[in-house]
Amino acid sequence: MVKYFSTRGGGSPVSASEAVLKGLAEDGGLFFPDHIPPLTKSLRELAEMSYQDVAYEVMKPFLSDYTEEELKHCIKNAYDAKFDTEVIAPLVYADGAYYLELFHGATIAFKDMALSILPHLMITAAKKNQIQNDIVILTATSGDTGKAALAGFADVKGTKIIVFYPKNGVSPIQEKQMLTQKGDNTLVVGIHGNFDDAQNGVKKIFGDQELSKLMAENGHQFSSANSINIGRLVPQVVYYVYSYVKLLKEGKLSDKEPVNVVVPTGNFGNILAAYFAKNMGLPIAKLICASNENRVLFDFFRTGTYDRNRSFVLTSSPSMDILISSNLERLIYLIAECDAEKNKELMTQLSTSGKYEITVNMQEKLQDFYGGYADEAETADMIASLYQDCGYVIDPHTAVAACVYKKYKEETADETKTIIASTASPYKFTRSVMKALGKDGGEPDDFVLADRLRELSGVSIPEAVEGIRRAPLLHDTVCEKEEMADVVKRYLGI
């Protein structure tokens, strides 16, 4: 049975269901499995399975205290008709790479892949652990996690969800998706600040022992829907395994043929899931980490120094506008040979000086990774060229990945078959996409541009966009970053 430890060494080991419930370890560390279990079925066996069946086989060893019935029930409720394609995560071949479309869920972003199942995993975990308190989900979002978490937890009995987002740091459609969210248990709060401010504020609330005590006295306890929660990370491993075995079944790959994986990266959870898949036995050669102009990860992979002391850039790929990549801590812990003290020392340096440097020995263990970045002009050019050459329209985050992949091939001449994680629908970023295509006439309404994009691409407007076109705004709370804890207390009436 897999147990979970804090990356900073505090506390006792916990079960999977306890890790899902807690979200963050009490010492501020992230939960990490005592080992990464191997795949229990061969790739050929997995190739004959549905997405749901692959999900069970991949997640079962990680979530080892969930019964077969419990886990299959969670999967069945997560991956159903809310996805607009039967295969859940289709692959599209364009310009020499396979685009893994992870945006066919309820909120048209890859976060749906994990946040569709997290509420079910969490409620099941609460029952397993005889939790009587209401679970208060506290989340910071750079655009996509917020809406996906809200959609997953809305009106789920025994939960409340509070989402903080940077007031001027998300796309108009991302913001309207959140502000129109229904549900008596939902609260959306814009903060004056950037995503890192929101994320730091949430971590500070999690670490406030006095507040936790007050919460418990009033029948509440915190948990997280951010990618720091192991219940978010494990479901993300599934689609990398599924995409590989799907290509295997279609004859696009031969047995054990390696692939490269390119991931547009902000908080590091999505690419870490691919690394977990590799460690489970999936034949992944290179993990290509694609950054936008907030190139903190690019610099880290090139130099071994992580340094957030730099200007924060607002880009057309806002879900990657991040200077503190929380999930990188799990990789640091792993390459430090699970030395919690070493990891804690580096994380303390990050919080006090804003930077840390890994050892040469640790750096040598990053050979599986390649870091690259694309600036705003390159991102727009990639959207335009892919459409002109292939008739395929991608969003800015996916364009960052495609551009970095192009640079990687030019630099290395590596012809290994490649999967690019396509993390959001172009309809989520209509203005940026239409501007890149030279079709933005300056109209004030992004929904008019969505109609134009439909005509141009031939792809129907997703219900996630159509449904909010005229929906009323239901949330209007805005606060300073220092006021986040007060907002939480007011909402909970404590």
Side-chain angles (χ1 to χ4, degrees):
M1 181 178 283
V2 173
K3 289 284 189 179
Y4 289 83
F5 291 81
S6 169
T7 52
R8 300 186 191 180
S12 305
V14 299
S15 67
S17 63
E18 289 173 309
V20 167
L21 272 177
K22 290 173 182 286
L24 193 67
E26 286 164 10
D27 63 352
L30 308 186
F31 286 115
F32 199 92
D34 55 16
H35 68 284
I36 296 176
L39 292 168
T40 55
K41 292 275 196 294
S42 72
L43 296 174
R44 281 288 174 194
E45 287 174 300
L46 292 168
E48 299 304 317
M49 295 182 186
S50 66
Y51 189 90
Q52 292 83 347
D53 290 339
V54 172
Y56 176 74
E57 294 299 334
V58 171
M59 293 169 65
K60 174 179 63 173
F62 284 106
L63 305 178
S64 50
D65 68 324
Y66 286 75
T67 67
E68 179 178 350
E69 183 184 3
E70 287 169 341
L71 185 52
K72 285 186 173 177
H73 177 75
C74 292
I75 290 166
K76 181 183 175 186
N77 282 301
Y79 304 113
D80 58 10
K82 70 173 75 71
F83 286 83
D84 63 20
T85 58
E86 194 176 328
V87 293
I88 308 294
L91 285 151
V92 174
Y93 186 76
D95 195 29
Y98 294 96
Y99 286 80
L100 176 60
E101 293 188 343
L102 300 172
F103 53 76
H104 289 279
T107 75
I108 58 174
F110 82 100
K111 309 292 174 77
D112 288 323
M113 302 298 293
L115 281 164
S116 292
I117 194 168
L118 181 61
H120 302 289
L121 293 174
M122 202 168 273
I123 294 303
T124 302
K127 289 176 185 170
K128 290 177 78 67
N129 292 278
Q130 289 82 49
I131 299 298
Q132 303 300 321
N133 291 341
D134 273 2
I135 299 165
V136 180
I137 307 299
L138 204 60
T139 291
T141 185
S142 52
D144 288 336
T145 286
K147 175 59 183 178
L150 288 161
F153 282 94
D155 291 324
V156 172
K157 192 177 177 184
T159 71
K160 295 183 187 300
I161 177 164
I162 305 169
V163 169
F164 291 97
Y165 76 97
K167 179 63 185 163
N168 298 306
V170 300
S171 80
I173 285 179
Q174 281 179 312
E175 183 174 48
K176 192 164 187 190
Q177 279 189 305
M178 289 189 282
L179 299 186
T180 56
Q181 177 64 52
K182 297 176 182 177
D184 292 337
N185 64 336
T186 65
L187 177 67
V188 181
V189 185
I191 71 154
H192 293 129
N194 58 40
F195 169 74
D196 288 328
D197 294 323
Q199 182 165 254
N200 287 336
V202 165
K203 284 183 177 178
K204 190 175 177 184
I205 293 169
F206 271 117
D208 186 335
Q209 297 303 317
E210 286 297 312
L211 180 54
S212 292
K213 186 180 174 187
L214 183 62
M215 293 270 292
E217 289 168 359
N218 286 272
H220 304 296
Q221 68 184 67
F222 285 131
S223 191
S224 171
N226 276 78
S227 56
I228 54 175
N229 192 314
I230 201 73
R232 271 277 304 273
L233 184 63
V234 169
Q236 291 179 279
V237 179
V238 174
Y239 47 72
Y240 292 110
V241 176
Y242 179 73
S243 60
Y244 184 94
V245 299
K246 192 163 185 278
L247 291 174
L248 185 64
K249 184 179 182 180
E250 292 172 357
K252 309 280 175 56
L253 292 172
S254 57
D255 281 343
K256 297 183 181 176
E257 181 180 355
V259 296
N260 292 332
V261 173
V262 191
V263 187
T265 308
N267 221 16
F268 208 76
N270 202 3
I271 194 164
L272 184 68
Y275 191 56
F276 271 42
K278 178 182 173 77
N279 279 272
M280 291 184 84
L282 198 69
I284 294 175
K286 213 70 170 174
L287 295 123
I288 299 169
C289 177
S291 299
N292 64 15
E293 286 187 23
N294 292 290
R295 40 181 272 183
V296 64
L297 287 166
F298 167 77
D299 292 338
F300 168 71
F301 282 115
R302 290 295 165 106
T303 67
T305 298
Y306 192 96
D307 187 355
R308 66 173 171 84
N309 300 307
R310 61 186 69 205
S311 298
F312 184 92
V313 184
L314 285 173
T315 73
S316 60
S317 48
S319 297
M320 299 158 67
D321 290 347
I322 293 172
L323 295 181
I324 303 175
S325 302
S326 291
N327 263 293
L328 185 64
E329 178 170 346
R330 285 190 168 110
L331 180 64
I332 297 299
Y333 175 74
L334 198 57
I335 63 174
E337 297 180 349
C338 300
D339 182 341
E341 280 306 309
K342 178 62 179 175
N343 176 67
K344 185 178 178 181
E345 175 193 324
L346 295 174
M347 294 307 122
T348 301
Q349 289 174 24
L350 181 64
S351 64
T352 53
S353 68
K355 62 189 288 190
Y356 61 80
E357 184 176 355
I358 62 173
T359 66
V360 173
N361 186 42
M362 291 168 73
Q363 218 173 332
E364 286 171 356
K365 292 176 183 171
L366 294 176
Q367 299 306 308
D368 291 333
F369 290 88
Y370 169 94
Y373 81 98
D375 64 27
E376 286 290 88
E378 291 170 325
T379 302
D381 287 348
M382 179 53 68
I383 292 171
S385 65
L386 195 62
Y387 174 69
Q388 286 158 9
D389 295 345
C390 307
Y392 187 52
V393 181
I394 55 175
D395 90 294
H397 302 77
T398 308
V400 168
C403 184
V404 168
Y405 174 55
K406 183 180 176 185
K407 290 181 179 181
Y408 168 79
K409 281 187 75 175
E410 288 169 354
E411 186 180 315
T412 64
D414 183 359
E415 292 297 325
T416 302
K417 289 170 186 170
T418 296
I419 295 168
I420 295 176
S422 184
T423 53
S425 165
Y427 282 105
K428 204 152 194 172
F429 303 94
T430 49
R431 189 164 300 277
S432 296
V433 170
M434 293 300 275
K435 189 175 179 183
L437 296 175
K439 305 292 185 182
D440 176 12
E443 294 83 358
D445 188 348
D446 276 37
F447 293 96
V448 172
L449 289 175
D451 292 331
R452 289 230 194 112
L453 181 56
R454 182 195 62 226
E455 293 166 10
L456 199 105
S457 66
V459 176
S460 299
I461 299 175
E463 177 55 31
V465 173
E466 202 59 68
I468 63 168
R469 192 187 285 255
R470 294 177 186 85
L473 300 181
L474 302 175
H475 302 269
D476 59 4
T477 306
V478 179
C479 75
E480 301 301 323
K481 58 188 178 184
E482 298 83 8
E483 299 169 339
M484 290 168 61
D486 293 331
V487 169
V488 171
K489 287 190 272 192
R490 277 200 304 273
Y491 177 63
L492 298 175
I494 59 175

